[in-house]
Amino acid sequence: MRSTILLITGIIVLVICSVYQIQHVSSIEKPQQNYSVIKEWDYQWLYKPKESYQPAWIAEGDPTKWQHADTEQPMQKRAAGADALILRITLPSLDWNTPGIWIKRAYGTAVSVALEHREGLLYNMERSYPYDVNYTLLPLSDATKGNHLLILLRLSDERQSLEPEMVIGDYNQMLPEYERYGLIELVYGGSFMFIALIMMTCLFFLKREQMVLWMSLCLIILCLGEIILAYSPALYHHYYAYGKPFLDLFDLALFLLTPALAVFFEQTLGPGIHGIIKKFRIVLIPVTVLVIVLWALGKTIVPGISLSLLQVVPLTFIAAIQFLILTVHAIGYAWKGNRDAIMISVGYSVFFSVFISEIIIYFRDETYHLIYWKWGLLAFLLSLIAVMGRQFSRNHDQLVKYSKELEMFNREIQRAEKMELISHLAASIAHEVRNPLQVTRGFIQLVGEKAVNKEKQFLQLAVQELDRASSIITEFLTFAKPHLEDIKTLNIPEELNQIQDIISPLAAMQSTRLEVIAEPDLYVLGSAEKFKQAIINMIKNSLEAISSFDGAVSILANKEDNEVLIRVIDNGEGIDPEKLSKLGEPYFSNKSKGTGLGLMVTFRIIEAMEGSIRFSSTKGVGTEAVIRLPSVSTNPSEAPFPEN
């Protein structure tokens, strides 16, 4: 999965470099003498209510109604009720080998260009859909010098500012820039859609719980790609016959983008404060479906539905609510150190700042062409991809963690089964052997009373050995179930200090420092004798693992939540990871002459006290054993120990 994310990131970087190169080449300035910006023209409004567009309107200009516009006296906004606009340009001296005029921007759903008092059209284009941004490059001849060039524009229903942008110069030198005009949006938007399609092919390799997050990001990238693509005037210039489906897809992309973002934010940031993000997503999806259904009806069988109102009002309202929710949660989570929220906040802030700045400029001048918002959008998109990558990385880490825990649980089960087997075996053997030993000891004592001298000495020795055998059997019963006698509340600092006094001579013989650091007021419930036995076994194992002269064993005790933690730390030779998991199993030992039964007894004692032991070790550095025991009240009082 990480390789897939790296691949997508590499593709995005490649797209950025390509788009930057295209924009850099497109922005190379040409010598000033090759261009001449047209700064003045005449214009007049035409009123053709409920009439279909006719290029012949270009000849209907009234000679008495021309209005003049230039840099000092800009063109007025659209006259009330005007349906068309005629521009009249006086062509200057054409001092170029191949003169031409580049109409960089003219606003109308239909455009016709002709020379005044001449038959025929130099250019004609009509659209059946409401996209009104046009550009074209037309060749001119020396014979047209001083003539008037007429441009007829069929106006759309909404645009009010209609200031055109026109350049006259050498046709061959303007042609390369004309061909590149609007190309950056085509490449940019098409790349986004291509990336989304590549990501969709990866759905076959994802797990079910990952599909929602991945699919939501795919839909976000796809919608953003369509929005950028549909914004390019080059799309409608070269493929104007297919402009209607492109605009329909643009509307769908706007409708689907908000719910896709809502799903993505819920997957990455969670349900939100009081479940607000989740509740917003639950409400948003049916609302989006309803809006899309109404939009489809307005496009087909119920044309009375206002599509512009349907697009503006719900989208503006929903986007405002989503922005508010995202802003509050992103700032709140970022303040708490959530890296996902920080990345989303940064990306969204960059995009929102750039977009709002350009929107302000656009409302001041409707002829302004939004340029930089798509780069802010890229920053936002990269933050979303980074968040998704972190999410998948966390899922992978969580899966590895679960696998390790499952392996640990399996080992615990296997160890418990072995311990159970040893317990039954130990119990049965101990009870069966102890009875004949007691009988034998009794008869030897009876015989010993009548024995004399040497025979009496031998019989006393036999009794001692039988007592030792009985003691061994009693210890063997520990494997079955440690019998905690004299249960009481243990003061851990006092117990550890006593253990230090007991084991210090052994540590001194091995030139090893032994230190005990314990917090005050640590209490557990158990048998002092068995507790000492368990801790001494742990310390002796640590001492035996130290081979250097600067050895150290530390016993640290502190309270964590409702547990007392006792750490036994040494700087011995350490234990291999594969051997570490087997500690405590019957007859497994890391020592050449060890049996593993001592550590096994320690495990059983700690388990009888309702505690646990965990080991961590680094080869050549040392080993740490962590004993966790349930903490009890600081008021010492004898109490029966709960049954396991």
Side-chain angles (χ1 to χ4, degrees):
M1 185 52 58
R2 292 181 180 180
S3 59
T4 303
I5 295 172
L6 289 174
L7 175 62
I8 294 172
T9 305
I11 294 174
I12 292 175
V13 172
L14 180 61
V15 169
I16 294 172
C17 295
S18 302
V19 172
Y20 173 78
Q21 185 66 20
I22 293 173
Q23 182 170 344
H24 176 69
V25 173
S26 301
S27 62
I28 296 177
E29 295 184 359
K30 301 296 188 298
Q32 187 65 30
Q33 63 269 21
N34 291 334
Y35 292 89
S36 177
V37 179
I38 297 176
K39 299 180 180 180
E40 58 180 340
W41 57 84
D42 299 324
Y43 68 95
Q44 65 174 277
W45 307 102
L46 296 182
Y47 300 89
K48 303 288 183 179
K50 299 181 180 180
E51 292 186 34
S52 58
Y53 177 77
Q54 298 293 332
W57 293 352
I58 200 169
E60 295 185 12
D62 189 339
T64 62
K65 294 183 178 180
W66 289 109
Q67 302 180 61
H68 187 72
D70 53 30
T71 54
E72 296 182 358
Q73 185 180 359
M75 184 172 150
Q76 296 180 358
K77 289 191 175 182
R78 179 177 180 173
D83 300 296
L85 171 68
I86 302 178
L87 301 175
R88 185 176 68 177
I89 302 164
T90 302
L91 296 176
S93 175
L94 305 177
D95 300 327
W96 297 277
N97 295 328
T98 53
I101 183 170
W102 182 5
I103 304 173
K104 280 194 169 184
R105 195 170 299 278
Y107 300 100
T109 56
V111 181
S112 298
V113 182
L115 288 171
E116 192 175 27
H117 306 307
R118 291 195 184 185
E119 295 184 359
L121 297 174
L122 299 179
Y123 177 77
N124 184 65
M125 189 280 302
E126 300 179 34
R127 296 192 182 104
S128 59
Y129 48 89
Y131 185 82
D132 65 347
V133 180
N134 304 275
Y135 68 95
T136 186
L137 177 63
L138 302 174
L140 300 173
S141 63
D142 293 336
T144 60
K145 175 183 177 181
N147 289 342
H148 290 150
L149 187 72
L150 300 178
I151 303 174
L152 173 65
L153 301 170
R154 173 70 169 183
L155 305 180
S156 63
D157 295 333
E158 299 176 359
R159 191 178 297 274
Q160 301 299 318
S161 297
L162 300 165
E163 195 85 9
E165 181 181 356
M166 294 170 287
V167 173
I168 192 168
D170 189 277
Y171 179 89
N172 291 330
Q173 292 184 1
M174 290 189 295
L175 184 60
E177 186 177 352
Y178 164 78
E179 292 175 343
R180 292 193 301 267
Y181 192 75
L183 183 62
I184 185 170
E185 284 89 359
L186 289 179
V187 175
Y188 199 45
S191 301
F192 273 32
M193 301 183 73
F194 178 67
I195 291 170
L197 293 176
I198 290 178
M199 291 178 65
M200 287 182 183
T201 61
C202 300
L203 287 172
F204 300 103
F205 309 102
L206 297 178
K207 296 182 179 179
R208 183 174 299 177
E209 58 271 13
Q210 297 173 327
M211 284 187 176
V212 177
L213 177 62
W214 189 271
M215 195 64 192
S216 62
L217 185 59
C218 286
L219 187 57
I220 291 171
I221 297 176
L222 192 65
C223 291
L224 294 178
E226 169 58 27
I227 291 172
I228 295 172
L229 197 65
Y231 187 73
S232 172
L235 181 70
Y236 306 95
H237 178 76
H238 296 290
Y239 305 101
Y240 66 90
Y242 305 99
K244 190 175 186 303
F246 280 122
L247 285 178
D248 291 342
L249 289 175
F250 176 80
D251 293 339
L252 282 175
L254 289 177
F255 292 141
L256 294 175
L257 179 60
T258 304
L261 286 170
V263 173
F264 184 87
F265 294 145
E266 182 185 359
Q267 290 291 315
T268 53
L269 299 180
I273 302 171
H274 304 298
I276 292 178
I277 296 179
K278 182 178 180 180
K279 293 175 183 177
F280 177 74
R281 188 263 305 167
I282 293 174
V283 174
L284 179 60
I285 291 179
V287 170
T288 302
V289 172
L290 177 62
V291 171
I292 291 176
V293 170
L294 293 176
W295 171 81
L297 292 175
K299 287 281 186 179
T300 53
I301 60 178
V302 190
I305 298 177
S306 176
L307 296 179
S308 59
L309 183 65
L310 191 65
Q311 293 171 358
V312 173
V313 175
L315 285 176
T316 303
F317 181 70
I318 291 172
I321 294 178
Q322 187 174 57
F323 171 73
L324 181 62
I325 293 175
L326 174 61
T327 302
V328 171
H329 283 79
I331 294 175
Y333 289 149
W335 184 264
K336 294 179 181 179
N338 187 315
R339 293 186 179 180
D340 292 345
I342 293 174
M343 285 189 288
I344 290 177
S345 301
V346 172
Y348 197 79
S349 299
V350 172
F351 165 66
F352 189 74
S353 301
V354 175
F355 181 71
I356 291 299
S357 300
E358 289 207 300
I359 286 295
I360 293 174
I361 298 174
Y362 174 79
F363 278 116
R364 291 180 178 177
D365 180 10
E366 290 186 11
T367 62
Y368 174 74
H369 184 60
L370 307 182
I371 300 173
Y372 300 104
W373 66 277
K374 51 183 175 288
W375 299 110
L377 188 63
L378 179 62
F380 179 52
L381 182 58
L382 289 177
S383 70
L384 298 185
I385 293 176
V387 169
M388 186 194 67
R390 283 177 48 82
Q391 190 79 10
F392 278 11
S393 178
R394 280 198 300 268
N395 291 341
H396 178 267
D397 294 340
Q398 193 72 16
L399 181 62
V400 172
K401 179 182 177 181
Y402 288 157
S403 300
K404 290 181 178 179
E405 290 180 353
L406 181 61
E407 182 181 1
M408 182 185 69
F409 291 151
N410 289 334
R411 288 174 179 171
E412 289 290 334
I413 292 173
Q414 293 175 3
R415 191 178 72 84
E417 291 175 349
K418 292 178 181 179
M419 294 292 290
E420 189 70 18
L421 178 61
I422 294 294
S423 297
H424 289 300
L425 182 62
S428 60
I429 292 177
H431 286 295
E432 292 298 329
V433 173
R434 179 182 287 180
N435 291 334
L437 283 179
Q438 293 297 329
V439 173
T440 304
R441 185 181 186 282
F443 281 114
I444 291 177
Q445 282 181 325
L446 290 176
V447 174
E449 292 177 358
K450 298 179 182 181
V452 294
N453 301 331
K454 201 71 173 178
E455 293 177 355
K456 187 173 184 178
Q457 181 181 355
F458 289 154
L459 291 174
Q460 289 177 349
L461 182 60
V463 170
Q464 292 175 0
E465 290 301 313
L466 287 174
D467 288 340
R468 193 165 70 87
S470 179
S471 176
I472 293 173
I473 291 172
T474 301
E475 292 296 328
F476 196 49
L477 279 172
T478 305
F479 300 142
K481 184 177 181 181
H483 180 59
L484 301 182
E485 299 176 349
D486 190 23
I487 298 174
K488 61 182 180 180
T489 301
L490 304 179
N491 188 323
I492 295 300
E494 291 182 1
E495 297 294 333
L496 293 180
N497 288 331
Q498 293 176 14
I499 291 172
Q500 183 181 22
D501 294 338
I502 295 171
I503 208 73
S504 290
L506 180 60
M509 289 176 59
Q510 297 186 6
S511 301
T512 300
R513 289 180 288 105
L514 181 65
E515 62 176 352
V516 174
I517 302 175
E519 293 180 358
D521 300 327
L522 300 178
Y523 298 94
V524 300
L525 203 61
S527 169
E529 180 183 351
K530 294 299 182 183
F531 177 75
K532 286 186 178 71
Q533 180 183 356
I535 301 300
I536 288 173
N537 280 345
M538 301 291 292
I539 297 173
K540 288 178 65 178
N541 286 339
S542 295
L543 292 174
E544 292 172 357
I546 296 174
S547 58
S548 61
F549 292 102
D550 58 346
V553 177
S554 300
I555 301 95
L556 312 177
N558 65 287
K559 188 174 182 180
E560 186 176 291
D561 296 331
N562 292 323
E563 291 181 324
V564 173
L565 271 63
I566 302 173
R567 293 181 173 86
V568 181
I569 306 171
D570 65 66
N571 59 350
E573 60 184 14
I575 306 173
D576 295 328
E578 60 272 11
K579 294 181 179 180
L580 194 65
S581 59
K582 296 182 180 180
L583 293 179
E585 293 185 2
Y587 309 113
F588 175 80
S589 175
N590 199 37
K591 296 177 286 187
S592 59
K593 296 182 180 181
T595 62
L597 298 180
L599 192 55
M600 179 180 171
V601 170
T602 301
F603 268 88
R604 297 293 283 171
I605 292 173
I606 297 301
E607 288 173 1
M609 296 176 65
E610 295 189 342
S612 64
I613 304 178
R614 292 290 180 270
F615 288 90
S616 61
S617 182
T618 303
K619 195 67 176 174
V621 177
T623 304
E624 178 182 9
V626 180
I627 301 173
R628 292 178 177 269
L629 295 170
S631 176
V632 297
S633 172
T634 57
N635 181 21
S637 62
E638 295 187 2
F641 197 80
E643 294 292 336
N644 288 337

